[in-house]
Amino acid sequence: MALPALHADGLRYAYRGVPAVYDVSLGIEEGEIVALLGANGAGKSTTVNMLAGVLRPDAGRIVWKGEDIAGLAAHRVMERGIALVPEGRLIFPQMTVLENLQVAGTSRRAADGFARTLDEVLAVFPRLRERADQAAGSLSGGEQQMLAIARGLVGRPALMVLDEPSLGLAPMLVRAVFDLVRDLNARGMTVLLVEQNLRQSLKVAARGYVLEKGRVALAGTGPALLDDPYVRQAFLGL
Ligand SMILES: Nc1ncnc2c1ncn2[C@@H]1O[C@H](COP(=O)(O)OP(=O)(O)O)[C@@H](O)[C@H]1O
Ligand SMILES: [Mg+2]
């Protein structure tokens, strides 16, 4: 088996003494799409916020390309090629679409060859190019999600972590987001896809981890997870 590009081991995090993540270990190999699944409150966002340097783990290791990055600040993690598209699309609503992308392009990693990257990113999102001078807050929900993903791409990450990109989107737009994930992966991007939507995400992710109450309850390939009695009962209502 190839060496994982990212390996997290024994991650733990408590919010003011209240544990949210107990002992989460996961690995992602270069070129994979891996799903991080689980119900609301399972600890998905806490986990990926630790991976991205937004939260400092209370315990555990995060090794990215051979380096322990646990506890590094978010901008340092980003410089090393990990981009988090946070839950809830944290874009700047008063700024234009273009300004949102320019702000995302100020990191050292993104600044190099920014004009070209911007052009490439906008080629992926023609709707955003059309609306470049419009206030980001005036975009539809689906367009705002695309903008949030585009902001991540501007940093030219090697690993994209998408925290519930389909949340609150109409079914057609959910499909568009998952198609985009597949497309980015085909261009060489490694993806960690955080979702409550098991069935949809396991159509694009080859394998996944299911979190429950801050622990990895199950891990396996898409077909194995979809076949699992616990998953079928708890997540698919079968
Ligand atoms: N900022 C916070 N302060 C206190 N508790 C939090 C905070 N964020 C999340 N939690 C709690 O941590 C647990 C895991 O939350 P979270 O990681 O957001 O789960 P998920 O992303 O899977 O929905 C939940 O019980 C949640 O209420
Ligand atoms: Mg979450």
Side-chain angles (χ1 to χ4, degrees):
M1 208 165 102
L3 203 67
L6 181 90
H7 187 253
D9 197 26
L11 289 182
R12 191 161 78 207
Y13 191 84
Y15 293 98
R16 275 173 259 105
V18 183
V21 167
Y22 291 86
D23 178 19
V24 166
S25 301
L26 55 87
I28 305 166
E29 285 170 40
E30 212 176 303
E32 271 194 308
I33 304 177
V34 174
L36 183 61
L37 306 162
N40 197 19
K44 304 181 298 296
S45 293
T46 305
T47 299
V48 296
N49 281 327
M50 287 190 272
L51 299 181
V54 177
L55 297 175
R56 174 188 285 270
D58 296 331
R61 293 196 321 151
I62 303 168
V63 178
W64 166 244
K65 297 186 169 173
E67 182 192 6
D68 192 345
I69 58 163
L72 282 189
H75 70 277
R76 300 241 177 268
V77 175
M78 206 184 297
E79 270 166 20
R80 284 160 174 77
I82 300 177
L84 170 68
V85 178
E87 190 180 314
R89 321 164 190 146
L90 305 178
I91 56 166
F92 298 109
Q94 323 283 4
M95 289 190 194
T96 68
V97 167
L98 185 62
E99 285 163 353
N100 266 276
L101 294 171
Q102 284 165 338
V103 169
T106 52
S107 79
R108 212 182 312 160
R109 186 181 174 93
D112 214 26
F114 177 69
R116 201 174 139 217
T117 308
L118 184 64
D119 210 47
E120 285 173 7
V121 169
L122 287 175
V124 178
F125 302 102
R127 299 277 290 180
L128 294 183
R129 196 193 286 281
E130 285 164 26
R131 287 161 170 64
D133 298 321
Q134 216 170 294
S138 72
L139 299 177
S140 73
E143 289 162 352
Q144 290 190 20
Q145 184 59 63
M146 293 302 180
L147 177 58
I149 296 173
R151 281 173 52 93
L153 288 176
V154 156
R156 290 193 293 183
L159 169 65
M160 274 286 258
V161 181
L162 301 169
D163 193 352
E164 300 218 36
S166 76
L167 200 68
L169 297 186
M172 211 176 76
L173 293 168
V174 172
R175 218 163 308 132
V177 167
F178 283 110
D179 284 348
L180 173 69
V181 168
R182 210 192 305 248
D183 196 49
L184 294 174
N185 179 252
R187 296 160 184 240
M189 182 111 33
T190 306
V191 179
L192 179 60
L193 180 61
V194 178
E195 273 292 333
Q196 293 189 44
N197 189 336
L198 240 101
R199 213 192 290 270
Q200 290 264 21
S201 15
L202 289 174
K203 278 186 196 152
V204 297
R207 61 188 188 90
Y209 296 85
V210 181
L211 290 192
E212 197 189 34
K213 298 188 180 124
R215 289 192 169 87
V216 177
L218 271 174
T221 63
L225 290 179
L226 289 172
D227 239 16
D228 185 273
Y230 161 77
V231 168
R232 291 170 70 84
Q233 197 237 322
F235 293 96
L236 304 175
L238 296 172

